[in-house]
Amino acid sequence: MRRWLPLLAFVALVVLVAYGLTRPSDTPVRSALVGKPLPDFTLPAMVEGKPGLTRADLASGQPRLLNVFASWCVPCIAEAPQLMKLKAAGVQIDAVAIRDTPEAVAAFLARHGDPYARIGDDGQRVVQIGIGSSGVPETFVIDGQGRIAMQHIGDIREDDVPKLLKALEDAR
């Protein structure tokens, strides 16, 4: 029995590690920048006819949403109707497109609606990581001075719309 003990211990360790790697985490990664100014950045335009995005654009005096998305992101498709509702309610929405192509983003917008005033191309995820976003989709409420007032992790669902509208109002 003693000679099998190391093998049994190794198998138990492998099972424990495999379980930990396959079990989804219920703990979202929150940005450390909530309540702080956005870092300085300049992103080129992602699609033709729509400007890119800079930090200065987000410090224009009016609260707005900053949506981190990608055309290949299934939850981004799910949240598209809610973003269109927010736009219809008068909310200014800008976007950071992650690891995407202009053609794919243009097709995404044509298919699911275009709520964005500006879309910056963040192909290397520099801005995404810099603002503390860990995935797509994520949405940030930005106050008029360019500070992150709130972070919404995951897709925006219908019951999230009132919360975002309240956060925008509070950010005035």
Side-chain angles (χ1 to χ4, degrees):
M1 177 65 174
R2 283 190 146 178
R3 58 190 252 215
W4 293 104
L5 193 57
L7 179 61
L8 290 174
F10 177 73
V11 168
L13 180 64
V14 168
V15 168
L16 183 64
V17 169
Y19 174 75
L21 290 175
T22 59
R23 192 181 60 132
S25 172
D26 292 336
T27 307
V29 178
R30 298 276 173 204
S31 173
L33 290 183
V34 173
K36 297 179 182 166
L38 289 164
D40 192 34
F41 67 87
T42 300
L43 292 175
M46 175 50 101
V47 293
E48 189 175 319
K50 197 163 289 268
L53 187 63
T54 68
R55 183 202 182 281
D57 296 326
L58 299 168
S60 62
Q62 292 295 321
R64 56 199 315 119
L65 294 180
L66 177 61
N67 183 247
V68 180
F69 86 107
S71 67
W72 43 264
C73 161
V74 174
C76 296
I77 296 168
E79 80 172 356
Q82 286 16 282
L83 289 171
M84 294 304 290
K85 284 180 188 175
L86 287 161
K87 178 183 179 181
V91 174
Q92 292 290 312
I93 308 171
D94 297 305
V96 174
I98 305 303
R99 292 191 175 183
D100 226 320
T101 65
E103 299 80 19
V105 170
F108 178 93
L109 298 175
R111 196 172 314 119
H112 304 291
D114 182 0
Y116 306 119
R118 300 171 174 275
I119 304 175
D121 180 359
D122 193 15
Q124 299 302 311
R125 299 180 50 220
V126 173
V127 171
Q128 180 192 23
I129 292 167
I131 63 175
S133 169
S134 61
V136 290
E138 277 190 46
T139 303
F140 295 85
V141 174
I142 310 298
D143 72 10
Q145 287 69 48
R147 287 187 303 265
I148 298 175
M150 179 189 152
Q151 177 186 22
H152 177 84
I153 297 173
D155 58 311
I156 298 170
R157 299 184 180 184
E158 194 165 340
D159 59 333
D160 296 319
V161 171
K163 297 172 201 168
L164 288 167
L165 289 171
K166 176 155 181 10
L168 285 160
E169 185 62 34
D170 292 346
R172 290 192 185 278

